[in-house]
Amino acid sequence: MRRVWWLFALVGIGIGFLSLLCYYGDTLLPHIPDEGLFIQPAQNLTEGKGMGTPLLDGLLPGIDQRTYWQPPVYFLALSAWGKLFGFDLLSARWFNRLLGVLGLLLLFTLARRWGLPSGVSLFCVLWTALDLHYQYDANIARMDMLNLVFLLASVMAFTEGMKSQSELAFLTSGVFGALAVLTHLVSVPAVFALLIYLAVRRSIKQAVWFFLPLLLGLLGWLAYALQDWTAFVGQMALQFQRKETGSLDVHILHLLFLQGLTPLFGFSPVNQPPIWLGLLCVTTIALKRRHSPLTDWQALFIGAAYLSAAAGGETWYVGWFAPLGYLMAGLWGNAFLHAAKMRAISLAVALLWSGYQALKVGQTFTGVPAMQSDIARFVKELTQILPQKSTVLLHSVPDPYPSLRHLRPDLRLYQLSPTPMKPETLQNLKRQADFFVGLREWVGRQGILNRAPHPKDRAWTMRTPLGAYRLWLVSLSPDPYQTYPRGNAKGFKEVRP
């Protein structure tokens, strides 16, 4: 009977999680939009046009024909999903939402395999489902959630291999590990930490079975890269160059998982207290004294994943690590539950943390109507106000590209890359473009805007529970408004500031 209640509770958390994401829609935490850049190559692949991203044509070498700046598995998976359910933004987000629920189920199963009782395992799932960073990852069309699902499946098979010494289990772990690596490089340290552990233990046969799928996967990726090696090296070099930027204080914030305190949009996104680094340090000390609830390989795996997420420096990597962090917290909490004097304190801390998370989710929940209203007004007015056949550079949060592509097929749209772009490429694109849509501060730092604003330039205020920021329609050519629609161009009417 108790198993039935735990099952009902797990299903309830999953349904509540999905319902919350559906309510958020296209709001929640605003960040730089990558969704259009990931949907386009998946759609092109399905349509037989190759895996290029024409939105970034000229900004990254060879990307209009082949997309190399991210590994290919997410594009392949999204292509298969889109072939069945379409390539609109909502469909792509539903793919991630379902992956988010699958991640919760895998977390519960892994927690049970690591020896946690059902109640503590359920707390790990609840904390993860209430985590705003995890919710954000599960509600955008990015590869982080698919990567996490593969990584959890890999470590679950590895756990089985460590218990049974089954070669099939290590082979399965390697297969999922290879899929994780070829979905996003953030998982490379964690996957190879497991391989290194097997090698150090001199479990050579198990290490070979684990490594074989990784080798085959990497060789397959290399074969794709060799189709245009210059473009592959150029795109990957710019991607890693982006990760290397930042001062020492910024990297320290990343190490503490306080990415949101770095200047981004003029406000600070929600950050959880930096508890994971502290738990990892305590775990390391406890391992040396043989008092850790984590085994050596478990601590190595979680530690490698944490350092990788911290080095990545993006908020979505915090959400990617969240299930592993809460699993580590659950192991420590369970250890304290066995101490009679700590049982009540452990339960109180668990409930207090759940209440704190629920409060943060509630604040976001109440702010959704204002965000939805601001986003709808921004997209509607932008669609109406842009002159016919304009060339527009986009670097906006929220991203208007899906709506503009559908409602304004006359526009020529370029999505500026989040990776570093060559100054000469930017300047050349600036000379061709009529408008920039997005954060004025960002376009100023890139050297695209170097003159006084046009009188007809337009600004929109975006209100969030975390603060407010402004988006701009900025003119780049001398008088781009001379072809203003004025009510007779494809049904669009003028909307004055």
Side-chain angles (χ1 to χ4, degrees):
M1 181 61 69
R2 291 185 65 184
R3 289 185 178 180
V4 174
W5 283 112
W6 293 131
L7 179 61
F8 273 116
L10 189 60
V11 171
I13 292 174
I15 293 174
F17 179 76
L18 269 182
S19 301
L20 192 59
L21 297 188
C22 291
Y23 176 74
Y24 289 152
D26 57 357
T27 56
L28 196 58
L29 302 177
H31 285 281
I32 297 173
D34 294 337
E35 294 169 295
L37 303 179
F38 299 145
I39 293 173
Q40 191 177 57
Q43 183 174 2
N44 286 344
L45 187 62
T46 299
E47 296 173 353
K49 301 176 183 178
M51 205 162 66
T53 311
L55 263 174
L56 293 174
D57 187 15
L59 297 176
L60 294 177
I63 200 166
D64 60 315
Q65 297 297 320
R66 294 180 180 85
T67 301
Y68 287 129
W69 68 309
Q70 297 288 352
V73 167
Y74 177 70
F75 302 125
L76 296 173
L78 189 59
S79 177
W81 173 270
K83 192 171 184 178
L84 296 174
F85 302 103
F87 288 96
D88 59 281
L89 193 58
L90 182 60
S91 170
R93 285 176 175 167
W94 263 107
F95 181 50
N96 257 33
R97 289 170 183 173
L98 295 177
L99 287 172
V101 175
L102 180 57
L104 295 177
L105 297 177
L106 286 172
L107 173 62
F108 182 83
T109 306
L110 181 60
R112 296 287 291 127
R113 294 297 294 159
W114 280 18
L116 292 180
S118 297
V120 178
S121 301
L122 202 62
F123 263 116
C124 295
V125 173
L126 176 64
W127 293 331
T128 303
L130 288 173
D131 190 279
L132 280 175
H133 298 97
Y134 187 83
Q135 291 174 12
Y136 177 69
D137 280 7
N139 203 39
I140 58 171
R142 277 186 53 89
M143 61 280 297
D144 308 275
M145 198 54 61
L146 180 62
N147 178 271
L148 175 67
V149 166
F150 286 143
L151 191 63
L152 290 175
S154 176
V155 75
M156 194 155 57
F158 192 90
T159 301
E160 183 61 33
M162 291 299 293
K163 290 184 177 181
S164 65
Q165 292 300 303
S166 165
E167 294 173 355
L168 178 61
F170 285 111
L171 177 65
T172 304
S173 180
V175 169
F176 283 116
L179 289 171
V181 168
L182 295 176
T183 301
H184 198 294
L185 296 180
V186 71
S187 59
V188 168
V191 171
F192 277 84
L194 298 179
L195 177 62
I196 292 170
Y197 178 81
L198 290 176
V200 170
R201 287 181 72 243
R202 298 183 180 180
S203 303
I204 303 302
K205 184 180 291 188
Q206 290 88 341
V208 169
W209 283 110
F210 182 86
F211 180 64
L212 183 61
L214 282 169
L215 178 61
L216 293 176
L218 292 173
L219 288 175
W221 190 23
L222 178 62
Y224 175 57
L226 287 174
Q227 295 180 25
D228 191 344
W229 184 252
T230 301
F232 175 79
V233 172
Q235 291 181 33
M236 293 302 294
L238 289 171
Q239 179 74 317
F240 281 105
Q241 180 183 336
R242 174 174 174 247
K243 299 300 182 182
E244 292 172 359
T245 58
S247 58
L248 177 60
D249 58 334
V250 169
H251 288 300
I252 291 175
L253 290 176
H254 291 173
L255 184 62
L256 295 173
F257 270 18
L258 295 175
Q259 282 89 332
L261 294 182
T262 56
L264 191 59
F265 299 116
F267 62 89
S268 298
V270 169
N271 288 278
Q272 60 193 20
I275 57 176
W276 303 137
L277 185 59
L279 273 180
L280 281 171
C281 292
V282 170
T283 300
T284 303
I285 296 172
L287 277 171
K288 292 182 176 181
R289 298 182 179 181
R290 303 180 184 276
H291 294 301
S292 172
L294 283 77
T295 63
D296 50 358
W297 75 264
Q298 291 171 343
L300 176 66
F301 170 77
I302 293 179
Y306 180 89
L307 292 177
S308 178
E314 309 284 2
T315 301
W316 39 74
Y317 298 148
V318 180
W320 171 83
F321 178 79
L324 301 178
Y326 290 118
L327 178 59
M328 178 172 55
L331 288 166
W332 275 103
N334 185 60
F336 286 127
L337 281 175
H338 291 297
K341 295 182 179 179
M342 297 296 297
R343 190 169 300 169
I345 296 176
S346 299
L347 183 60
V349 170
L351 293 174
L352 283 173
W353 181 253
S354 303
Y356 168 79
Q357 288 184 298
L359 177 63
K360 292 299 181 183
V361 171
Q363 290 174 349
T364 303
F365 187 91
T366 56
V368 165
M371 288 188 282
Q372 289 177 336
S373 174
D374 291 343
I375 291 171
R377 179 172 56 86
F378 163 66
V379 172
K380 178 181 178 181
E381 294 182 2
L382 181 64
T383 301
Q384 294 173 338
I385 204 173
L386 282 169
Q388 199 174 13
K389 297 183 179 179
S390 299
T391 299
V392 186
L393 306 184
L394 300 173
H395 195 75
S396 173
V397 183
D399 181 15
Y401 168 74
S403 298
L404 292 177
R405 183 187 62 171
H406 176 66
L407 299 172
R408 294 294 307 273
D410 60 295
L411 299 175
R412 187 176 183 183
L413 304 172
Y414 286 92
Q415 188 77 276
L416 296 180
S417 170
T419 63
M421 296 166 283
K422 295 180 179 179
E424 57 270 23
T425 304
L426 274 174
Q427 292 305 315
N428 183 53
L429 194 56
K430 170 200 166 183
R431 286 191 292 269
Q432 301 177 31
D434 300 304
F435 295 97
F436 169 82
V437 176
L439 299 160
R440 190 181 185 91
E441 297 80 6
W442 187 89
V443 75
R445 289 196 300 269
Q446 299 300 317
I448 297 177
L449 184 64
N450 53 13
R451 60 175 182 78
H454 193 285
K456 289 184 179 178
D457 286 354
R458 177 67 189 270
W460 292 267
T461 299
M462 298 287 151
R463 297 166 293 170
T464 80
L466 316 174
Y469 66 102
R470 305 189 82 186
L471 294 177
W472 285 84
L473 170 65
V474 178
S475 62
L476 300 177
S477 59
D479 192 9
Y481 295 95
Q482 60 186 349
T483 57
Y484 215 64
R486 299 192 181 280
N488 58 2
K490 295 184 180 295
F492 297 107
K493 61 183 179 179
E494 179 178 0
V495 177
R496 297 187 179 277

